[in-house]
Amino acid sequence: MSNKNRFAFFGGKIVPIEEAKVSVMTASFNYGTGIFEGIRAFWSEKEKELFVFRLKEHMDRFLRNSRFLQIHLPYSSDELCDRTLELLRREEYKRDAYIRPVAYKSSTVIGVRLHDLEGACTIFAIPFGEYIDKPDGARLKVSSWRRVDDNAIPARFKIVGAYVNSALAKSEAHREGYDDALMLASDGSLSEGSAANFMLVREGVLITPPVTDSILEGITRRTILEMAAREGIPAVERSVDRSELCVADEAFLCGTGVNVVPVTGVDGYPLGEGKPGAITTRLGKLYRRAVRGEVGEYRRYCTPVYGSA
Ligand code: PMP
């Protein structure tokens, strides 16, 4: 990708991307002590507008998670939202984009710790299409790697170093010919995908693991649960047994990166009828319209970059 017209929010201002550099001695680079976010912006051809989906919720989570790692950023959530919009305008995005804020321990010292270190943050954006391009259904592998435990590295905080766990699972799945991994929590209950939450459907009921089963508390997950409630689809948050994969009617992954991707097979066996289910398809279509500002109830979640109402 060419760096022409590319910028980053770095050192408190928007600078050309080449200037957004950190030292090899940076504490976060050495120890994984950082927090990141993933946010999507969707181009509406109809309105000639770029909408950032649930920007404020992402920035609130980013600041909350950063505080957990004792990174105290000198910005409010609203300021980070404004900088993000400014960045997208500077880059003149007129296509779907993915926005990556990162908060990190910026001190250049050796010694693993959280205290007595400087913190900093950066935001950059890239053009982005599908993360898992499987509209007809992804095939997952139940990973041999367990999801990071809340008493080891809490999954809920989106900690940079914790994604080694996701990377191990994703590459194992890829190596064996699958599209993604499904991870079990340390007690063996079903947790989530390598970079997305997991939902299944049994007899018309949407089921997803609770936030206490070593998952990232996904914003898309929350959106889908809200959509299910509005659509009259019963939904429960409860622990899910691995063997329920064999009796589920449908399943899908959901997250900022993946949007909604149907899951049609696990470990080489078909899930349900081996094709995207009715509830998955309905929620997936609704979600994809909502993020582009096309659905009234969810329009409040779409922040226009160029200023349409
Ligand atoms: N779980 C993991 C491990 C993730 O990395 C992500 C992506 N951020 C999600 C779930 C989905 O979260 P969200 O809907 O907030 O993007």
Side-chain angles (χ1 to χ4, degrees):
M1 192 170 24
S2 138
N3 281 343
K4 195 169 157 282
N5 205 29
R6 302 194 60 76
F7 299 89
F9 176 67
F10 183 79
K13 50 188 197 291
I14 292 183
V15 299
I17 194 81
E18 302 79 21
E19 292 175 26
K21 296 255 165 72
V22 295
S23 161
V24 292
M25 288 178 67
T26 304
S28 275
F29 177 70
N30 285 269
Y31 302 115
T33 44
I35 295 291
F36 69 101
E37 260 307 322
I39 311 171
R40 264 190 189 266
F42 297 88
W43 175 249
S44 166
E45 192 52 43
K46 210 182 290 174
E47 298 191 42
K48 305 277 183 243
E49 178 59 276
L50 186 65
F51 291 110
V52 186
F53 194 65
R54 304 202 77 167
L55 176 58
K56 179 80 166 81
E57 287 89 339
H58 279 281
M59 287 308 185
D60 287 350
R61 181 171 76 180
F62 181 57
L63 287 177
R64 208 166 45 237
N65 291 350
S66 298
R67 282 195 295 274
F68 175 71
L69 280 198
Q70 299 175 35
I71 301 172
H72 300 283
L73 299 173
Y75 311 106
S76 67
S77 172
D78 285 337
E79 282 167 335
L80 291 177
C81 290
D82 287 347
R83 295 291 84 76
T84 301
L85 297 174
E86 192 182 329
L87 178 70
L88 293 170
R89 283 194 288 266
R90 279 288 285 278
E91 297 194 326
E92 298 173 7
Y93 269 99
K94 291 199 165 54
R95 54 177 294 185
D96 293 357
Y98 182 85
I99 303 144
R100 167 56 51 85
V102 188
Y104 57 100
K105 294 289 186 187
S106 54
S107 296
T108 47
V109 292
I110 293 292
V112 62
R113 61 175 192 268
L114 296 176
H115 59 277
D116 298 338
L117 294 172
E118 302 275 304
C121 86
T122 184
I123 307 172
F124 62 92
I126 55 164
F128 211 56
E130 295 295 338
Y131 180 70
I132 299 179
D133 197 9
K134 293 280 166 178
D136 297 330
R139 294 162 48 259
L140 308 186
K141 173 194 162 59
V142 175
S143 185
S144 70
W145 297 97
R146 291 291 164 108
R147 187 79 183 114
V148 279
D149 187 79
D150 195 58
N151 286 297
I153 309 178
R156 63 166 49 76
F157 293 112
K158 227 167 159 48
I159 297 168
V160 171
Y163 278 74
V164 170
N165 180 235
S166 292
L168 287 167
K170 176 82 184 192
S171 288
E172 178 189 68
H174 175 79
R175 205 164 44 240
E176 296 182 21
Y178 294 93
D179 301 310
D180 200 2
L182 202 47
M183 303 190 75
L184 305 180
S186 52
D187 68 357
S189 63
L190 224 141
S191 175
E192 59 180 339
S194 68
N197 290 119
F198 182 73
M199 298 201 177
L200 53 80
V201 178
R202 291 187 66 182
E203 294 173 352
V205 180
L206 191 63
I207 304 166
T208 195
V211 295
T212 43
D213 279 354
S214 296
I215 65 165
L216 181 88
E217 300 180 14
I219 290 171
T220 317
R221 174 183 177 279
R222 221 177 323 137
T223 307
I224 295 291
L225 289 173
E226 181 186 337
M227 288 177 164
R230 282 177 187 272
E231 295 291 301
I233 299 166
V236 286
E237 296 174 60
R238 64 150 175 86
S239 293
V240 177
D241 282 343
R242 177 178 188 167
S243 62
E244 291 189 83
L245 296 168
C246 306
V247 291
D249 301 315
E250 332 177 4
F252 60 90
L253 291 169
C254 64
T256 299
V258 304
N259 296 310
V260 172
V261 169
V263 172
T264 51
V266 176
D267 286 342
Y269 296 97
L271 190 145
E273 290 177 13
K275 56 182 206 283
I279 291 179
T280 302
T281 304
R282 181 164 155 208
L283 288 171
K285 277 189 180 153
L286 178 60
Y287 182 80
R288 280 167 192 270
R289 287 179 52 231
V291 294
R292 272 176 228 279
E294 292 169 15
V295 186
E297 293 99 310
Y298 307 105
R299 182 79 180 193
R300 68 188 190 286
Y301 292 150
C302 303
T303 306
V305 171
Y306 297 107
S308 70

